[in-house]
Amino acid sequence: MLEQAPLVWGEIAVADMDRAVAFYSKHFDVCFHRETMNDMEMAVLETADKEAASIGLVKHEMMQPSAHGSVLYLHLGPQLTPLVERISQAGVKVLLPVMPIKDGECGFIALFEDSEGNTVGLWSKEK
């Protein structure tokens, strides 16, 4: 058994960094700081806890947005239903409406399509 949570970092591939940053900032009220590492353009999600696992939007020739790859689940609010309703009303394509995991014992999930065509998940303990 691992002594710590295994996830330390996640990357979401983007084709248009400005569009992707605008999408996530608008719909999820999050902030990014942008940087370039070698030839990789990145926008790193800002968190209060600098040691916490986080994500970056990444534009690089070897990373292509896809609806058919790994799915990251983001915890972006205390309740999932109001967040999913808000993004749906804003025109974001919801791929999987809010559904419970083990009758809600393990929280709730939903899937959406981001501005780049990626399938991204949302999770919250409360519906």
Side-chain angles (χ1 to χ4, degrees):
M1 179 181 297
L2 292 174
E3 292 182 26
Q4 71 283 332
L7 182 63
V8 296
W9 177 251
E11 296 177 343
I12 298 175
V14 305
D16 184 318
M17 185 62 74
D18 291 333
R19 177 178 63 206
V21 167
F23 175 87
Y24 283 92
S25 298
K26 173 184 176 183
H27 295 296
F28 302 107
D29 196 27
V30 294
C31 297
F32 295 89
H33 72 270
R34 292 174 77 156
E35 55 188 73
T36 302
M37 190 168 29
N38 299 327
D39 60 345
M40 187 177 296
E41 187 180 349
M42 301 178 74
V44 178
L45 182 70
E46 295 180 348
T47 61
D49 180 357
K50 301 298 181 203
E51 300 292 318
S54 191
I55 62 160
L57 305 176
V58 179
K59 182 178 179 183
H60 189 269
E61 64 185 28
M62 62 184 230
M63 294 186 68
Q64 300 300 315
S66 173
H68 307 290
S70 299
V71 177
L72 294 176
Y73 284 82
L74 308 176
H75 182 205
L76 297 173
Q79 290 187 306
L80 195 53
T81 299
L83 176 59
V84 172
E85 286 175 352
R86 189 179 81 226
I87 66 171
S88 178
Q89 290 171 0
V92 174
K93 185 176 182 181
V94 174
L95 303 170
L96 176 71
V98 176
M99 66 170 275
I101 305 168
K102 292 187 176 181
D103 293 325
E105 179 183 332
C106 297
F108 297 82
I109 61 169
L111 296 173
F112 69 92
E113 181 179 290
D114 76 359
S115 63
E116 307 306 293
N118 295 301
T119 297
V120 180
L122 296 169
W123 175 90
S124 188
K125 186 68 178 161
E126 301 294 325
K127 184 177 181 185

